[in-house]
Amino acid sequence: MNRLPLHQDLYLIAHDQSGKPLIHQSSMALGLAGAALLDLALDGRVAVARGRVAISDPVVPTGDPLTDDLLALVAGEPGDVRSPIKKVAERAYDRTREDLVAAGVLLRVTKRVMGVLPTTRYQLADVASVVRASSGARSAVEGWKKPDARGAALCGLVSVLRLEAELYLDLPSSELVGRMREIVRDGPRVVGELVAVVDTLVAEAAIAVYR
């Protein structure tokens, strides 16, 4: 199976096998949008520096709908890196889920509660999908090979969204998060910058709930 886009890996990590989300959907959506931008930055399609983003190559579709939406946004409105993340986050959750269903990674399952009310869950077709999704972060933390840029990006997003328990590593939570943040610091500059942006946006969204 080909490697999934970073935001799809993050989606899989952020749900249990029954399809139940493990964190608040607004936080997850920002993480998904940030992951899509990280993929573009690591592929050299966009340039990110000092809080700004711009296209670095001619706009050629990636084939992933969410990532292509983000690419078009950056092409049309280069500038503050926060803006395209926030705009794409508005539809990132549903779009990512539907793309995973279309790819056969998730199965749409509808059941009736008390025989009357229909409920829909999006369950894993194969648990191996989430194992593959988290493998880059796990191997980076365990240190059996040098973390690559993508592994560092996933570590950063997992730590920001506090999904560290989903890596199933035998480490205290605080130690695991600290190790992932260290990997981000030692990784490419763009990874650290974009993970910090997502961290700020998630914190702002959490505060806004209580206003």
Side-chain angles (χ1 to χ4, degrees), residues 25-187:
Q25 190 170 315
S26 64
S27 296
M28 195 189 311
L30 289 165
L32 296 174
L37 189 58
L38 271 161
D39 253 344
L40 289 173
L42 294 178
D43 285 345
R45 290 174 175 267
V46 301
V48 178
R50 298 178 183 177
R52 301 186 70 78
V53 62
I55 293 294
S56 54
D57 277 338
V59 179
V60 177
T62 66
D64 175 73
L66 182 69
T67 307
D68 286 340
D69 282 355
L70 185 53
L71 192 60
L73 268 175
V74 174
E77 300 178 35
D80 183 2
V81 71
R82 295 160 52 102
S83 180
I85 293 176
K86 291 170 73 173
K87 287 180 179 178
V88 167
E90 294 173 2
R91 55 188 180 277
Y93 185 84
D94 290 343
R95 176 62 68 84
T96 302
R97 182 187 64 202
E98 291 306 313
D99 291 341
L100 285 166
V101 170
V105 178
L106 295 179
L107 300 176
R108 185 184 286 107
V109 179
T110 301
K111 298 180 179 179
R112 290 188 176 275
V113 178
M114 304 295 290
V116 180
L117 298 174
T119 61
T120 301
R121 282 284 177 87
Y122 296 83
Q123 301 178 357
L124 285 171
D126 183 353
V127 71
S129 297
V130 73
V131 174
R132 284 191 292 267
S134 59
S135 62
R138 287 200 314 274
S139 64
V141 172
E142 291 174 325
W144 56 269
K145 72 174 183 178
K146 184 177 179 180
D148 60 12
R150 195 175 190 276
L154 190 57
C155 281
L157 293 167
V158 167
S159 66
V160 164
L161 297 178
R162 297 310 308 262
L163 291 165
E164 66 276 2
E166 304 315 304
L167 299 183
Y168 296 100
L169 295 172
D170 189 20
L171 288 172
S173 181
S174 59
E175 184 177 339
L176 181 51
V177 170
R179 174 59 184 142
M180 287 192 287
R181 290 177 177 170
E182 181 182 312
I183 290 168
V184 172
R185 288 194 297 270
D186 293 341

Side-chain angles (χ1 to χ4, degrees), residues 192-204:
E193 181 165 352
L194 285 176
V195 167
V197 169
V198 173
D199 195 7
T200 298
L201 291 174
V202 168
E204 290 176 355

